[in-house]
Amino acid sequence: MNIVVFGSTGSVGTHIVKQALEKGFQVRAFTRRPEKLAPQARLEVFKGDLMDRQAVEKAVSNQDAVLCAIGDGGKGGIRALGTRHIIDAMQTVGIRRIICETTLGLGESKGNLNFFWKYIMFGLLLKKAFNDHKLQEEYLFKSNLDYTIVRPAAFSDGAQTANFKVGFDGNAKGLSLKIARADVAGFMLRELETGQYVKKPVSISN
């Protein structure tokens, strides 16, 4: 399978690239900083900027699927606009499958958050990033793509375990509200293979 990864040098994207190559996928890694990715078999490093629509369109061409794990360094605007450019490019070249990482706390999953995350982190400190993710999801919901929106809890370090909760509703309690970045990447690749949550958001957390 040929996949293009946006956010390929970020904290989740690096795990996606690594695990996809281990699965034998042909990976095109879209990045502004190609020097951060070492040459490997089946890895094509594609230098580009998400704000450059032509570069994004070229990057998604001849691919089977898109995996999106965009960060923005706290600016609070790159995720939504970059995703909009990816959606437009996919529609132009005729690719339908995209798996996009956003955040737990959106939609009905707001009910899973505790006071700290609901009012301090997303209500104040990370409000721009949260709203950016919200708009990012809205663009996907309104598209005609075969999207899956993955809503992970707060990232933690650690090895991939696959030992976490998936697909719980907004009333679920007893969550740690954390998940390893490697597990987020592993779930996104698993969803690519299974298609269990096409045209749906899915929450994941330990």
Side-chain angles (χ1 to χ4, degrees), residues 21-197:
L21 291 171
E22 289 171 350
K23 286 178 174 288
F25 291 176
Q26 193 74 33
V27 179
R28 178 176 289 169
F30 187 96
T31 178
R32 289 180 300 145
R33 300 182 63 184
E35 68 276 5
K36 296 184 72 173
L37 291 167
Q40 297 181 60
R42 301 189 314 280
L43 174 63
E44 176 191 355
V45 179
F46 189 106
K47 184 178 181 180
D49 191 310
L50 275 167
M51 299 301 102
D52 183 344
R53 294 191 182 199
Q54 290 185 331
V56 175
E57 186 173 319
K58 186 176 179 181
V60 303
S61 297
N62 302 312
Q63 300 299 295
D64 298 310
V66 172
L67 279 85
C68 179
I70 303 169
D72 78 345
K75 297 181 181 67
I78 300 300
R79 292 183 183 92
L81 184 55
T83 301
R84 175 74 263 176
H85 290 169
I86 293 168
I87 291 169
D88 290 345
M90 291 177 67
Q91 291 172 332
T92 297
V93 304
I95 298 170
R96 296 188 56 84
R97 188 67 170 119
I98 179 171
I99 300 172
C100 185
E101 166 252 310
T102 62
T103 185
L104 192 71
L106 289 166
E108 70 161 10
S109 72
K110 182 177 181 179
N112 300 127
L113 300 182
N114 57 27
F115 180 91
F116 176 74
W117 275 101
K118 191 179 295 183
Y119 298 108
I120 305 301
M121 295 303 290
F122 288 150
L124 293 172
L125 301 179
L126 298 177
K127 188 173 183 179
K128 284 186 178 180
F130 185 79
N131 289 335
D132 197 21
H133 274 309
K134 183 178 180 180
L135 183 57
Q136 183 183 27
E137 286 199 356
E138 289 175 5
Y139 286 146
L140 288 163
F141 285 137
K142 292 176 182 178
S143 75
N144 64 352
L145 302 178
D146 293 330
Y147 62 80
T148 296
I149 294 171
V150 179
R151 293 171 172 168
F155 299 145
S156 63
D157 294 323
Q160 184 179 3
T161 67
N163 183 25
F164 52 89
K165 298 177 180 66
V166 176
F168 46 86
D169 64 23
N171 296 315
K173 304 300 180 183
L175 303 169
S176 73
L177 300 182
K178 294 182 180 180
I179 188 167
R181 294 171 176 85
D183 276 334
V184 177
F187 178 78
M188 292 175 71
L189 289 166
R190 187 175 83 190
E191 170 60 21
L192 178 60
E193 295 176 302
T194 66
Q196 184 176 357
Y197 295 97

